Amino acid sequence: AATVRVYPAVPDAAALAQGVRRLRQQRGQELERRRALRRQPPGEVDLKLDPGGIRDIEFLAQFLQRRYGAATPWVRAGNTLVALQRLHDKDRLSGREFQQLGSAYTLLRHLEHRLQLRLGQQTHTLPAAPAALAELAHSLRRAQGVAFEGGAGELQARVAAAMAAVRGLYDVYVGEAVPAPPPAIVEAGPGAGAGAHLRRQWQRLQRSSATWSDAPLPALAEAPPRLRHALEHSDWMAEAIIRRPALAAALAPETAPPEAFAPPAGADPAVTLAALRRWRQARTLFLLAEEWERCLPVTATLRAHTAVAESVLAAVWDLAGAPARAPLLAVLALGRLGLRELDLLSDLDLVFVAADAERAEAAAVAARIIQALTAYTQDGSLYPVDTRLRPGGGEGEMAQTPASLARYFRDDAGLWEAVSYLKVRVVAGDRELGGCALAAVREGLRARFAGRDCRAELDALRRRMEREGRPGTWGLKTPPGGFYDVDFIASRRYLEAGAVPPEGAGLAGGVRALPSDLLPPAVAAELAALAARLRAADHALRAATGKAGAAVPAAGESLARAWHWLARIAPGAPAGGAAAAVARVRALYDQWR
């Protein structure tokens, strides 16, 4: 009975969130009473009870556990970090959200423990005095997982960035609901029809700006149109700008960031990485503003986001070890990056390839590349990275060789791996070595799957994916009628024919390129059009809600904003979003799987 109360079979998300907010309010009032009694100096931060602190991370994890714990017992865990990891495992938190919450929790707990050891009492208050902060920062230099080289200033900045990220995620998952905005573009201030959502986001930006700068923001009616549009229509853009208000400058067309990033010669790697993180955020904001304003098609947008990731990889490659010093190494991309359809909140699915004699050295360089891409700092992180699609998964060698790839795909690869590696391409490093790896993979796929009837096995895999989906959630990838239906129709035909789709052509491009003897042209054309519609809807959901996959809300004002975004980038899209496309894709899958 107790378990049913904690993990209700039919959870009421609104009621659960209201309970968390009520408890959070009590804790906040308790903190204010304590501060009044102590006459706490201004500038001191309570690492546990201030907004974005340890308690908010715990409350958020517990809210998600209660919401999904009945259907998915795996997410039930008493340890907060374990709970966050399990919620990520089950797609309840994105890779970026897990990274932000986990790194913030680790940082704040380290600081809490150091404070208590130093003062010999139970305290959670970060001192405001520079000398005390510098002493605390120095004590953390050798702490596992935490490194401070910039002293008190860096410590304050990292704590502020971590707590701001937590506050943003807490607001997204547990914050008060707001009325749905009108469908029109907001062009004026509150007195002339600005929606409640825009006013709320503007107030959050005002509070954030006050902590970063003494210069006040203008009135909402005087704000640049692109900034108002970003706050009103895109939760992803709004959260990025609210966390770091200076990024709003990236929205202006006349200050568009450069197309590529070249690290300054001789610059300190940490400085260069910080600049690279800011550039990546600014460039992404600029691309989204351009897309909204110019109603750009999603194909162009996703290729532009892919180009940003490839520029980042090139810069990180140089930082991880100059080619003259580094072992021979190539980086292969799978998934959305391999397809040249990288989107907001997408992971980078990477495979590292080395010459046989240099595997150990190459693995060390690969680890540095992954660390540079994923490290979360006051400037955020670059990208989440997933290397589990390498042969052997998480237990396999980090650096593969062309020979090991050839053996694996000839003798051991399963169908799911085969489908994944149809999208592989070289994105960084030694192109000749990468080309050898691609040839080895494709020859292995041909030897193992050409001429084999894969229909029944692939369909069983597809049905298992559907059964393992989470009840009460949805998305445009795994559920019936999602991307995987289109992917499996095309992939079966490529594998059985011993062929591969055009490199980097995208999901729709791969379907369109199928020869007529493998799929009737009319069917291929319709599937490609449907795949493009699903991609546009998925992108609109990510831009408008700041979430992806099963984490996207199934109803509410953020979903209405997503379909408004879809209408701008895909003229003629139905007002209901992607429902009609999903139904038609499933019908075609049942006929042509």
Side-chain angles (χ1 to χ4, degrees):
T3 299
V4 172
R5 287 197 298 273
V6 174
Y7 303 106
V10 185
D12 183 339
L16 292 175
Q18 185 179 19
V20 173
R21 291 195 299 270
R22 189 182 303 116
L23 186 58
R24 181 70 184 85
Q25 183 179 25
Q26 293 171 0
R27 295 292 184 271
Q29 292 169 346
E30 174 189 329
L31 176 62
E32 293 308 312
R33 285 195 299 270
R34 192 186 309 162
R35 281 176 165 161
L37 289 172
R38 290 177 53 242
R39 296 183 180 178
Q40 180 176 315
E44 288 190 350
V45 175
D46 191 296
L47 301 172
K48 178 170 279 189
L49 295 181
D50 266 330
I54 292 168
R55 192 65 80 213
D56 278 1
I57 301 172
E58 293 171 342
F59 281 165
L60 176 53
Q62 291 162 13
F63 164 73
L64 293 172
Q65 286 177 297
R66 293 195 67 201
R67 183 171 181 182
Y68 300 114
T72 313
W74 170 250
V75 304
R76 305 177 190 176
N79 181 285
T80 299
L81 284 176
V82 173
L84 292 173
Q85 175 66 65
R86 293 185 177 187
L87 288 162
H88 170 52
D89 290 344
K90 295 299 181 181
D91 293 331
R92 301 305 178 185
L93 287 170
S94 70
R96 185 174 299 279
E97 290 168 338
F98 167 64
Q99 190 177 61
Q100 289 176 334
L101 292 170
S103 61
Y105 191 77
T106 300
L107 170 63
L108 298 179
R109 280 297 191 194
H110 268 301
L111 285 168
E112 178 191 45
H113 293 160
R114 290 284 165 157
L115 283 167
Q116 294 178 1
L117 285 171
R118 188 168 62 87
L119 300 176
Q121 58 182 321
Q122 187 174 11
T123 181
H124 319 290
T125 303
L126 190 70
L133 278 172
E135 183 181 343
L136 183 60
H138 180 76
S139 75
L140 280 162
R141 284 188 179 182
R142 299 182 183 276
Q144 184 179 5
V146 180
F148 291 95
E149 300 298 336
E154 182 188 352
L155 176 57
Q156 279 185 312
R158 286 179 65 171
V159 170
M163 295 179 73
V166 172
R167 281 201 307 273
L169 292 174
Y170 180 91
D171 287 347
V172 166
Y173 281 96
V174 192
E176 293 278 5
V178 295
I185 300 173
V186 176
E187 290 291 354
H197 181 68
L198 173 58
R199 291 196 299 273
R200 176 173 174 265
Q201 297 290 56
W202 185 257
Q203 290 166 358
R204 292 180 62 209
L205 179 58
Q206 285 179 314
R207 291 195 298 269
S208 178
S209 295
T211 68
W212 287 91
S213 170
D214 294 331
L217 285 176
L220 177 56
E222 299 170 0
R226 280 192 171 193
L227 177 57
R228 296 202 302 271
H229 297 165
L231 295 175
E232 173 73 8
H233 298 291
S234 172
D235 286 351
W236 192 96
M237 298 175 77
E239 293 305 319
I241 295 167
I242 289 168
R243 283 197 299 270
R244 184 169 285 278
L247 285 172
L251 302 177
E254 63 274 13
T255 59
E259 290 292 332
F261 178 85
D268 178 82
V271 173
T272 304
L273 278 173
L276 184 58
R277 293 183 189 103
R278 291 192 292 272
W279 174 83
R280 187 250 165 173
Q281 292 171 339
R283 184 63 184 158
T284 303
L285 284 166
F286 174 74
L287 291 174
L288 288 170
E290 286 280 290
E291 173 192 346
W292 173 270
E293 188 171 276
R294 297 168 56 191
C295 300
L296 298 176
V298 73
T299 303
T301 296
L302 298 187
R303 286 189 173 268
H305 288 301
T306 301
V308 170
E310 292 180 1
S311 294
V312 167
L313 275 169
V316 169
W317 174 268
D318 289 339
L319 289 172
R325 301 194 311 272
L328 205 59
L329 181 68
V331 185
L332 310 183
L334 305 170
R336 300 285 296 258
L337 183 60
L339 287 169
R340 287 198 174 96
E341 292 185 328
L342 197 73
D343 208 343
L344 305 172
L345 309 171
S346 292
D347 294 354
L348 303 187
D349 294 305
L350 303 179
V351 177
F352 295 89
V353 180
D356 192 54
E358 298 182 308
R359 281 181 96 165
E361 295 87 347
V365 175
R368 293 200 296 272
I369 291 172
I370 294 169
Q371 171 64 20
L373 290 169
T374 61
Y376 188 76
T377 70
Q378 66 186 59
D379 298 302
S381 63
L382 287 166
Y383 290 97
V385 173
D386 192 343
T387 61
R388 292 173 297 177
L389 283 172
R390 67 186 187 270
E395 302 300 318
E397 293 278 355
M398 178 58 73
Q400 298 291 315
T401 68
S404 70
L405 289 169
R407 284 193 302 271
Y408 186 80
F409 282 95
R410 184 182 64 243
D411 302 332
D412 300 310
L415 265 174
W416 170 242
E417 293 167 304
V419 169
S420 299
Y421 273 78
L422 285 175
K423 308 167 182 66
V424 69
R425 67 186 180 92
V426 183
V427 289
D430 188 273
R431 298 285 165 167
E432 183 178 351
L433 176 64
C436 292
L438 291 189
V441 167
R442 289 164 180 167
E443 180 54 39
L445 290 175
R446 200 158 30 244
R448 187 166 177 80
F449 296 103
R452 173 174 158 185
D453 186 352
C454 300
R455 173 172 176 154
E457 190 177 348
L458 267 180
D459 187 51
L461 173 62
R462 183 71 185 97
R463 304 295 180 179
R464 186 167 72 248
M465 289 173 150
E466 294 167 15
R467 290 194 302 272
E468 292 173 355
R470 278 74 57 198
T473 64
W474 70 290
L476 295 176
K477 183 167 73 172
T478 304
F483 293 125
Y484 280 167
D485 278 2
V486 180
D487 195 8
F488 277 35
I489 290 173
S491 294
R492 177 173 78 84
R493 286 158 174 80
Y494 278 116
L495 289 171
E496 291 177 353
V500 294
E503 191 175 297
L507 182 60
V511 174
R512 279 194 297 268
L514 280 166
S516 58
D517 60 329
L518 299 182
L519 192 69
V523 176
E526 184 180 7
L527 266 178
L530 290 166
R533 178 59 54 84
L534 291 180
R535 280 289 192 241
D538 181 62
H539 173 71
L541 287 165
R542 291 168 186 250
T545 71
K547 297 181 181 180
V552 174
E557 54 91 18
S558 62
L559 194 65
R561 292 200 307 276
W563 301 146
H564 183 198
W565 191 292
L566 177 62
R568 291 186 69 87
I569 63 175
V582 166
R584 181 57 182 158
V585 166
R586 177 37 59 123
L588 288 171
Y589 176 82
D590 288 339
Q591 183 179 1
W592 295 98
R593 64 180 184 272

